[in-house]
Amino acid sequence: EVQLVQSGAEVKKPGATVKISCKVSGYTFTDYYMHWVQQAPGKGLEWMGLVDPEDGETIYAEKFQGRVTITADTSTDTAYMELSSLRSEDTAVYYCATVGILGGRSFDYWGQGTLVTVSS
Amino acid sequence: QSALTQPASVSGSPGQSITISCTGTSSDVGGYNYVSWYQQHPGKAPKLMIYEVSNRPSGVSNRFSGSKSGNTASLTISGLQAEDEADYYCSSYTSSSTLHYVFGTGTKVTVL
């Protein structure tokens, strides 16, 4: 059974950095890209970027370029998303999600989400 | 790159059918058969309901079906049930230089 388990909720001050983890099981970590998606309170989903765990290559959405770093640790089958220079607008639930396990280019398995609250 | 356009809300009575539209451009919905649909209940992670325009993952009810015409994709829920009440999002791969995937604005489905 494919599972993505994310780290717990975080509260950060403006200007700080947050790093969220996503530990996977039930499939070969290096076979599929890991993506991250942001969902602000009461808002829709927004794609942030991806990492290829096989070689560490990343692609980021322009909106988050320069502030987001997505990495993968193949020794622990864990992906990470780090967001820096936090501001109030970054308060959101962040999801990791795989693409392609079920075929095609859809987000087929999701983590449970991690709430990040940015507040002074 | 803007989000794909969905109606804010759609409602129907139990047993009825409803359709949610998802309008994009030739750079995303119209250009690729990589449209997918997600169901999200409050406080929960999204769940894949349809992939590659019209394919259902194992375990998803056949009451859910997808289609596409030009730059608009659609999700139809037939035989509407109370548990179908949720938010629904479409998504598409995109050739945009600024991002690889784009989501829809989301549709709240209400079962009357």
Side-chain angles (χ1 to χ4, degrees):
Chain A
E1 178 193 9
V2 174
Q3 287 193 316
L4 282 64
V5 180
Q6 298 183 221
S7 49
E10 304 261 12
V11 179
K12 295 292 184 180
K13 293 192 182 305
T17 296
V18 69
K19 189 171 185 177
I20 302 167
S21 67
C22 172
K23 183 169 176 58
V24 313
S25 60
Y27 74 97
T28 302
F29 183 50
T30 52
D31 282 353
Y32 301 96
Y33 294 176
M34 182 64 73
H35 297 245
W36 289 85
V37 175
Q38 179 194 59
Q39 186 171 36
K43 302 296 185 182
L45 304 167
E46 189 155 15
W47 182 79
M48 299 179 71
L50 64 86
V51 63
D52 179 354
E54 176 75 39
D55 58 14
E57 281 204 22
T58 54
I59 300 174
Y60 301 127
E62 185 177 65
K63 174 180 176 179
F64 299 98
Q65 187 86 36
R67 290 204 303 137
V68 68
T69 304
I70 299 174
T71 56
D73 182 346
T74 56
S75 68
T76 59
D77 289 350
T78 302
Y80 297 91
M81 189 283 292
E82 184 174 88
L83 190 61
S84 62
S85 302
L86 290 170
R87 40 216 191 210
S88 58
E89 311 90 87
D90 296 320
T91 293
V93 175
Y94 293 85
Y95 294 100
C96 57
T98 60
V99 166
I101 294 180
L102 295 180
R105 297 196 186 194
S106 56
F107 301 94
D108 33 33
Y109 292 96
W110 296 69
Q112 82 275 21
T114 298
L115 174 63
V116 174
T117 302
V118 182
S119 173
S120 55
Chain B
Q1 173 75 49
S2 300
L4 306 176
T5 301
Q6 299 180 231
S9 62
V10 173
S11 61
S13 299
Q16 285 187 330
S17 293
I18 62 169
T19 296
I20 304 168
S21 61
C22 169
T23 301
T25 69
S26 57
S27 295
D28 38 65
V29 174
Y32 305 93
N33 286 324
Y34 291 131
V35 177
S36 49
W37 289 90
Y38 304 87
Q39 177 191 66
Q40 187 179 36
H41 287 108
K44 300 295 187 181
K47 175 187 175 184
L48 178 64
M49 305 301 284
I50 295 288
Y51 67 97
E52 289 182 330
V53 176
S54 60
N55 295 294
R56 272 189 314 276
S58 174
V60 172
S61 171
N62 59 8
R63 297 185 299 104
F64 291 84
S65 62
S67 62
K68 190 185 84 167
S69 177
N71 295 337
T72 298
S74 298
L75 173 72
T76 298
I77 309 175
S78 58
L80 200 60
Q81 299 180 1
E83 62 259 34
D84 299 333
E85 184 162 298
D87 293 324
Y88 290 82
Y89 294 91
C90 60
S91 178
S92 175
Y93 178 79
T94 173
S95 61
S96 165
S97 60
T98 59
L99 75 170
H100 270 39
Y101 288 87
V102 61
F103 285 96
T105 50
T107 299
K108 170 66 176 178
V109 168
T110 301
V111 181
L112 302 171

